[in-house]
Amino acid sequence: MKCAWDQLLAILPKWMQQEVDLNGRDDLLELRLRNGLPPELVCFRRSVLLSGIVTVSDLSFIINAASQYSPWAAQTIAQGYLTAPGGHRIGICGEAVIRESKMVGIRTPVSVCIRVSRDITGIISNVRELCGSVLIIGSPGSGKTTLLREIIRLRSNMGTGSVGVVDERGEIFPPMAQFVQGCRTDVLTGCSKAEGLDILLRTMGPQTIAVDEISSEKDCQALIRGAWCGVFLLATAHAASKADLFSRQVYRPLVRDGIFDQLVILQPDKSWKVERMVSG
């Protein structure tokens, strides 16, 4: 299991770095920081409250250190999160800034949730059973990106063609984390899924294209274009079950056009089951 742990510690205020390192290096899943309260470490099967009290200045320090003041980070903050170096995702709550009826930023942060990016290998015994185009669904934190990453590198190493990855936020294969990609994987980072998918189709000739977190009609239409061009697709989406997926308006074009062969449904305990992607 790999993790860009030093990059995580680097965005934290110095007063909490040692305690986070001591208590969470091996199994930290989330670090929850709320103004006026102690830091909370959510680890595998345990939760730890640290000494010290979080301040607004601490939260602002984390956001500035993680964003490195980049324009791309500013765009994602408007959606309530940003991705730190190493692929760690930071959710942000506070006073929203609204312009023309849209959230464009957060003025004063009051809490952040840092989800730790870890690369876990060896979780699939037979990648050939996940053939064709595969959609992975599950609730937040169920391990969708981890499973997607494993399928990408195993399929990449099979020798049947290259895998193009649109890594919109740098969370699938974070540049500084040195996660294993597979020998035939090409990663495009920092552009939208729709734009990146079209670029890969035009320039890299992949057999498979992978994206994380389908969330809009534009994403769905890009995947449909990819399927029409004859590539296999790997993707993840937020849905608790097959029925939940089929009931969501945004995903209906994917179901209607039948572009995925298999559906992998992740459970809260990180187990999963595989079903045929059919609407009947």
Side-chain angles (χ1 to χ4, degrees):
M1 180 169 62
K2 290 186 177 181
C3 174
W5 186 253
D6 291 340
Q7 282 73 30
L8 173 64
L9 294 179
I11 67 172
L12 302 179
K14 289 188 180 298
W15 67 266
M16 71 175 71
Q17 289 180 3
Q18 185 173 357
E19 272 197 281
V20 171
D21 189 32
L22 179 64
N23 289 278
R25 177 177 283 269
D26 294 330
D27 63 347
L28 179 63
L29 303 176
E30 296 178 349
L31 175 58
R32 294 183 171 269
L33 306 171
R34 301 177 176 94
N35 181 41
L37 295 172
E40 179 187 10
L41 274 67
V42 180
C43 303
F44 187 65
R45 295 181 179 173
R46 64 190 176 99
S47 177
V48 180
L49 292 177
L50 304 184
S51 60
I53 299 297
V54 176
T55 67
V56 170
S57 295
D58 293 326
L59 301 176
S60 296
F61 175 87
I62 291 169
I63 293 169
N64 290 331
S67 67
Q68 300 175 342
Y69 303 95
S70 73
W72 179 253
Q75 293 178 32
T76 62
I77 288 174
Q79 301 175 45
Y81 75 94
L82 63 89
T83 303
H88 310 293
R89 183 186 292 195
I90 303 177
I92 308 168
C93 280
E95 182 183 357
V97 179
I98 305 296
R99 293 177 188 163
E100 298 179 356
S101 301
K102 292 184 179 180
M103 179 173 160
V104 296
I106 295 179
R107 182 177 291 112
T108 304
V110 296
S111 61
V112 303
C113 174
I114 305 175
R115 291 171 56 183
V116 180
S117 176
R118 294 185 183 274
D119 187 26
I120 304 173
T121 60
I123 58 177
I124 299 176
S125 58
N126 181 14
V127 70
R128 295 186 185 277
E129 69 181 4
L130 296 175
C131 57
S133 292
V134 180
L135 179 63
I136 303 167
I137 64 171
S139 56
S142 58
K144 296 185 295 296
T145 303
T146 300
L147 183 58
L148 174 66
R149 190 184 294 125
E150 179 80 329
I151 296 173
I152 289 169
R153 64 174 151 244
L154 291 176
R155 190 172 291 195
S156 170
N157 289 335
M158 288 175 62
T160 56
S162 66
V163 181
V165 180
V166 184
D167 197 356
E168 185 173 11
R169 297 175 298 269
E171 294 181 355
I172 305 174
F173 294 109
M176 300 178 66
Q178 298 182 335
F179 292 172
V180 177
Q181 297 182 3
C183 62
R184 297 177 184 85
T185 301
D186 303 301
V187 182
L188 178 61
T189 303
C191 69
S192 70
K193 289 183 280 291
E195 182 180 14
L197 194 146
D198 289 340
I199 290 172
L200 289 176
L201 285 171
R202 289 196 306 267
T203 63
M204 301 303 294
Q207 183 193 55
T208 300
I209 291 181
V211 300
D212 199 11
E213 289 195 6
I214 307 167
S215 59
S216 70
E217 182 179 345
K218 185 180 292 187
D219 295 343
C220 293
Q221 292 304 320
L223 289 171
I224 291 170
R225 289 197 301 274
W228 287 346
C229 291
V231 300
F232 294 123
L233 300 168
L234 302 174
T236 70
H238 286 299
S241 65
K242 189 174 185 177
D244 184 21
L245 177 77
F246 287 1
S247 70
R248 299 196 182 194
Q249 180 70 31
V250 68
Y251 301 134
R252 287 181 184 174
L254 303 181
V255 177
R256 180 196 65 219
D257 287 21
I259 67 171
F260 287 101
D261 303 300
Q262 298 191 79
L263 182 67
V264 178
I265 306 169
L266 282 163
Q267 309 299 315
D269 64 357
K270 313 298 185 183
S271 65
W272 68 80
K273 60 181 179 178
V274 181
E275 297 185 10
R276 294 292 299 174
M277 183 69 170
V278 294
S279 56

